[in-house]
Every structure is written in C-alpha cells, then in structure tokens.
Amino acid sequence: MDHNPAHLGMYNFPDASGHFGPYGGSFVSETLTHALEELKAEYAHYQNDPEFLREFHHELKYFVGRPSPIYHARRWSSETGGAQIFFKREDLNHTGAHKINNVIGQALLARRMGKPRVIAETGAGQHGVATATICARFGLECVVYMGSEDVKRQVQNVYRMQLLGATVVPVESGSKTLKDALNEAMRDWVTNVENTFYIIGTVAGPHPYPMMVRDFQSVIGNECIEQMPDLTGRQPDYVLACIGGGSNAMGIFHPYINYPEVKLIGVEAAGEGVDTGRHSASLGGGIPGVLHGNRTYLLQDANGQIMETHSVSAGLDYPGVGPEHAWLKDSHRAEYVSVTDAEAIKAFHDCCRIEGIIPALESAHAIAYAITLAKTLPKDKTILINLSGRGDKDMHTVAEYDKEHAPLHAQPKH
C-alpha cells in the first residue's frame, strides 16, 4: 500500500463498504446489520437532498448561531514571539461545543425515518447535552448512557440533560467511562431498533457513522476555508485539534485534506505520560484491532483485551479513535502527538488569564501543543486551533486537580 500523501489524489474515503484503507468497515452482530443498512440507505438518500440540507443549515444558523467566528489570540501570539495563533470558536455554539453540529444532522434523519426515540452515549457530557437539546427542540424521547465515573466528573452536564427532558442512565460496567457507555447504548439499540435511532457522537462505530459524523462536522472546516483568507489573506500553515474519538478534529481536518500545504496535527491525551500506561493516546500507543463495530488503532494488551484509559479530560478518555484518523496517520497526511494532563491544565489556566477564554479541557490539549509549536515558528506562520468547547463543565475537575497539585498554578503573589 502506498502511504505517500502525494499519491493520495483527490481524497474520497470511505469506499462503499466504509473502509478508510484497512480501517473502518462494519463489524456488528446480525441483529444490527438491517438497522445499519437502513441507515446507510437513508443517509445516501438525504445527504445531498436540497430540502434536508436547507433545514440542516437553517438550524445551524438560527438555533446554534453559526458560523462560529475565528479569533486572533493576539496577546498570546505576542507573548510566544512566534507564529500567529487563531481559535475557531466552537465554544460559542449553543450548548457550548462542536457536538451539536452532528446531532442536528442525525436528529433530522431520525425524524425522516420515523424514529420517535433517540439514544446516545456521552463521556464529558457535551454530546449528551447536545442530543438532549435537539430532542427537546424536535419533540423526541431521549435516553443518554453515561459511565458512572463520568457522571461523577460531570455533574453539571447530567443535570442539564435532565432539565432538557432526557433520561440519563449511569453505566456501572467496566471502567465506567465512555467505552462502557457506548457498549450499553449498542445493547439498547439492538433491543429497540424498530422505534429507536442511535446518535453516535464521534467519528467511530460501524459504517456509515464515521463518514456521517464527519460530514455533519465538516461545517467547521468549510467555514474556516472561507474565513481564514479574510483574516490573513490565505489558509493557515497548521490546523490543530484535540483527539478523543476524533469528531472535532475530523470536522476541521476533512475540508483541508486536499490542501497539501496545510499541515494537520491531532493532539491526543498523554494523561500521566504515555510510558506510564495511564493515558488515552490510541494512535501514539495503540495497535490496530476491532472495537465498537470498526477496525482502528486501539489501546489493547498482548491478548487483545482493551486496556483501561486515563485522562484528566472525560471527553478524551476513550481507548480507540475514528478509523479515518488511523488512515490519515498511516498515510502521513496528518501527524498525531500527545499532551499530558499537567500540560493541558497549564494551557487551560494560561488561556483563561491571557485571552479571557475558558476552554474545555479537551481543547486545552490542542492549545498546549499549539503554544509549544508557535514558539518554534517565525511570526509570519499561522496556527489555527479548533477550540472545540468551553470549560464551564470542567470547573470541578480543574479545582480538584489544582488542590492536589498546588502550588503549580497558584496566582502569583504581589
């Protein structure tokens, strides 16, 4: 297989069976095959349907508040003395993150397919909140599965979902995080497939989910391609995004894949350090395998058992990654790096104090690497970061971390 990006030609993945090179596909039980075939056919019918797209973009504009702006982080750019840093402000979307872009698209499909009940899985809670929000907007029943560990970490988002009318089901199995929530959601879907639509929140799962979520999230990158020339006269030199499952990254990366001069960098969670085993860097520390219906890079032991993950950020705490990212890594079209908990927390604090923006801990991973990178580049280079969400949900986590690790981020004394 030729992994030289110069020979990729026009990028047109996945193929008809949902493969991105050797990754992706659909590895599911027979009970789900019919549901996935139905979904694939419906999405193929509606993805270029003018009325569907009109309604999708209408909701994005009038309910979400798109387009989200690109912001020049001037003070931080000046302090680093290197490249100019820009934020794509997905934190300003209604519900506070990029997740709602995809949820609107899938909820519109659910309505057209006559499915009155929606289920979802969530880690940090932002996908759950977005799903509960749109279900309230469209009058759909909503059930959200969430690992009980994440329920504790994200109390505020749990209450938000309940306020919006959703039933939140804490999952007590396994590591009690996102992986286990996804398992439970799939079990529910198998049982209730006739009246239930499963809204997956990331670019993982069986085909057509990785493609479908990417397509709905590509509104992010498509806007950037229009906005950056207005701000800087050209496209950015680097585009950065954090990676858990990888939906915010795929949303900004995908429209840029056919711009070879734009370097794409995904930032995973190194947790306490990739060499400690307590991390969530699937691309940096994993090997290919099958999980949740697709083949991709996974954190697994020598026997193929999925390993427990760790990240200070609930939304990056997943042992796999979207299959399209696996292909972008192997083809060298994108580079993947990782950032530790401590580095992300420092970037979180610095962003608050230097730019007056409280980022999500997930986004803080991308910001941390971008600041390091900016210092190595000349001032005429530009770095565009997908600031995928706001940090209101992370106040408790950061406060607990700071209490444990003081005085690392204590206020300077005057």
Side-chain angles (χ1 to χ4, degrees):
M1 185 181 297
D2 189 347
H3 288 329
N4 186 336
H7 299 293
L8 285 177
M10 285 302 283
Y11 189 85
N12 57 0
F13 288 104
D15 63 16
S17 58
H19 284 94
F20 303 86
Y23 305 106
S26 186
F27 298 84
V28 295
S29 62
E30 281 182 39
T31 44
L32 277 183
T33 304
H34 172 70
L36 286 167
E37 287 300 322
E38 180 189 28
L39 178 59
K40 201 160 67 173
E42 292 289 328
Y43 182 59
H45 175 73
Y46 285 113
Q47 69 183 125
N48 295 311
D49 177 70
E51 179 52 32
F52 179 87
L53 293 173
R54 186 202 64 75
E55 191 174 355
F56 177 57
H57 288 288
H58 182 274
E59 292 294 327
L60 289 177
K61 182 175 181 180
Y62 293 104
F63 191 64
V64 177
R66 301 203 72 92
S68 63
I70 289 178
Y71 165 80
H72 185 188
R74 290 179 192 277
R75 276 195 66 208
W76 222 346
S77 301
S78 173
E79 285 199 15
T80 64
Q84 299 306 298
I85 300 159
F86 293 84
F87 294 157
K88 176 62 169 165
R89 298 289 306 275
E90 292 298 290
D91 59 312
L92 295 178
N93 291 341
H94 179 43
T95 73
H98 71 289
K99 292 291 186 182
I100 197 162
N101 305 325
N102 161 58
V103 171
I104 286 175
Q106 290 197 52
L108 289 173
L109 269 182
R111 284 207 308 186
R112 281 162 170 77
M113 291 171 72
K115 310 268 186 182
R117 181 175 179 267
V118 162
I119 59 172
E121 86 296 326
T122 198
Q126 289 302 106
H127 175 60
V129 168
T131 303
T133 299
I134 297 303
C135 286
R137 166 94 178 85
F138 291 162
L140 300 166
E141 183 189 344
C142 181
V143 177
V144 179
Y145 289 91
M146 190 172 189
S148 60
E149 202 52 46
D150 291 335
V151 167
K152 279 186 225 154
R153 288 198 279 190
Q154 299 291 342
V155 172
Q156 186 190 47
N157 272 346
V158 172
Y159 187 52
R160 285 169 82 191
M161 288 183 260
Q162 291 167 337
L163 278 175
L164 290 158
T167 302
V168 180
V169 181
V171 176
E172 299 290 349
S173 58
S175 59
K176 306 175 185 178
T177 57
L178 183 58
K179 163 181 71 78
D180 314 290
L182 219 145
N183 289 339
E184 288 303 317
M186 281 194 159
R187 284 192 194 102
D188 182 319
W189 196 28
V190 169
T191 314
N192 301 292
V193 77
E194 289 308 313
N195 74 333
T196 298
F197 189 104
Y198 180 17
I199 296 185
I200 290 184
T202 193
V203 285
H207 182 58
Y209 281 105
M211 171 182 72
M212 189 166 66
V213 176
R214 173 202 75 191
D215 291 351
F216 290 137
Q217 289 293 3
S218 285
V219 64
I220 302 170
N222 287 329
E223 287 178 3
C224 292
I225 284 168
E226 283 190 28
Q227 292 168 317
M228 281 304 285
D230 289 341
L231 287 166
T232 67
R234 60 190 179 86
Q235 297 302 339
D237 296 294
Y238 295 85
V239 170
L240 270 69
C242 65
I243 307 261
S247 64
N248 93 86
M250 216 56 247
I252 197 167
F253 284 4
H254 190 256
Y256 275 112
I257 287 173
N258 287 321
Y259 287 74
E261 72 281 10
V262 179
K263 295 182 175 66
L264 308 176
I265 302 178
V267 186
E268 296 190 291
E272 293 173 7
V274 175
D275 54 348
T276 68
R278 285 186 46 79
H279 65 88
S280 300
S282 308
L283 289 164
I287 54 173
V290 174
L291 178 68
H292 296 143
N294 73 103
R295 186 169 189 271
T296 187
Y297 277 87
L298 304 172
L299 294 175
Q300 51 188 321
D301 63 21
N303 300 315
Q305 296 299 306
I306 300 301
M307 291 161 64
E308 290 211 1
T309 54
H310 163 76
S311 172
V312 72
S313 159
L316 302 183
D317 205 353
Y318 181 64
V321 65
E324 192 161 5
H325 286 295
W327 171 239
L328 290 177
K329 171 188 160 77
D330 280 10
S331 65
H332 306 298
R333 178 59 190 94
E335 180 189 352
Y336 294 90
V337 298
S338 60
V339 155
T340 64
D341 290 349
E343 290 167 327
I345 292 278
K346 181 178 187 316
F348 175 93
H349 281 283
D350 289 348
C351 191
C352 293
R353 292 175 191 166
I354 297 171
E355 292 297 339
I357 294 170
I358 303 174
L361 273 176
E362 291 79 9
S363 315
H365 284 70
I367 294 169
Y369 188 78
I371 299 307
T372 302
L373 176 65
K375 292 173 183 174
T376 70
L377 297 170
K379 290 181 181 179
D380 63 346
K381 295 293 183 186
T382 54
I383 299 173
L384 175 60
I385 308 164
N386 193 7
L387 206 167
S388 53
R390 65 175 182 246
D392 310 39
K393 66 184 178 59
D394 296 315
M395 294 294 103
H396 177 71
T397 303
V398 174
E400 289 296 308
Y401 186 96
D402 286 349
K403 207 184 296 177
E404 225 174 283
H405 298 82
L408 187 60
H409 302 295
Q411 290 278 8
K413 288 179 181 169
H414 296 290

